[in-house]
Amino acid sequence: MINCYILYSPKLDSYYIGMSQEHIADRILKHNTSFYGAHYTSKTSDWELYYIIECVTISQAMKIEKHIKKMKSITYLKNLKKFETIQLKLLEKYK
């Protein structure tokens, strides 16, 4: 399973956008246990899944991750979760 995911930390009131080929629960556990060392997500251990987009290829997941990061907008993240059509358009645009 390849996906682009968004994590949220209530403690930091912050979001993290990433992509992965591994199961999302395993990925979140790694972020919450500082598996990646001195990385942005090592600042706290309360990361939770906010949103996930299942992708077909690694390339698609990377492009969607880059697109979301480029938006630099919490409003965009909230709208992505609120309006399914945004996800569908992203998957179509980056197939």
Side-chain angles (χ1 to χ4, degrees), residues 1-7 16 18-32 36 47-54:
M1 175 187 303
I2 304 162
N3 53 59
C4 178
Y5 61 89
I6 302 168
L7 302 180
Y16 174 81
M19 60 83 53
S20 177
Q21 292 182 329
E22 63 187 313
H23 192 276
I24 194 64
D26 296 334
R27 190 64 164 203
I28 294 170
L29 180 63
K30 287 180 178 180
H31 284 296
N32 281 330
Y36 300 106
W47 294 103
E48 55 193 43
L49 183 63
Y50 179 77
Y51 194 70
I52 190 167
I53 300 172
E54 292 183 11

Side-chain angles (χ1 to χ4, degrees), residues 1 6 8 15 17 21 27 32-33 35-36 41 54 65 76-77 81 93:
M1 175 187 303
I6 302 168
Y8 174 73
Y15 295 87
I17 299 126
Q21 292 182 329
R27 190 64 164 203
N32 281 330
T33 57
F35 177 83
Y36 300 106
T41 57
E54 292 183 11
E65 175 192 18
Y76 183 79
L77 298 180
K81 188 173 182 177
K93 180 177 182 178

Side-chain angles (χ1 to χ4, degrees), residues 73-84:
S73 169
I74 292 173
T75 302
Y76 183 79
L77 298 180
K78 290 179 179 180
N79 285 338
L80 183 61
K81 188 173 182 177
K82 187 175 179 181
F83 303 109
E84 184 181 356

Side-chain angles (χ1 to χ4, degrees), residues 35-49:
F35 177 83
Y36 300 106
H39 187 268
Y40 180 76
T41 57
S42 66
K43 294 179 183 181
T44 189
S45 60
D46 67 340
W47 294 103
E48 55 193 43
L49 183 63

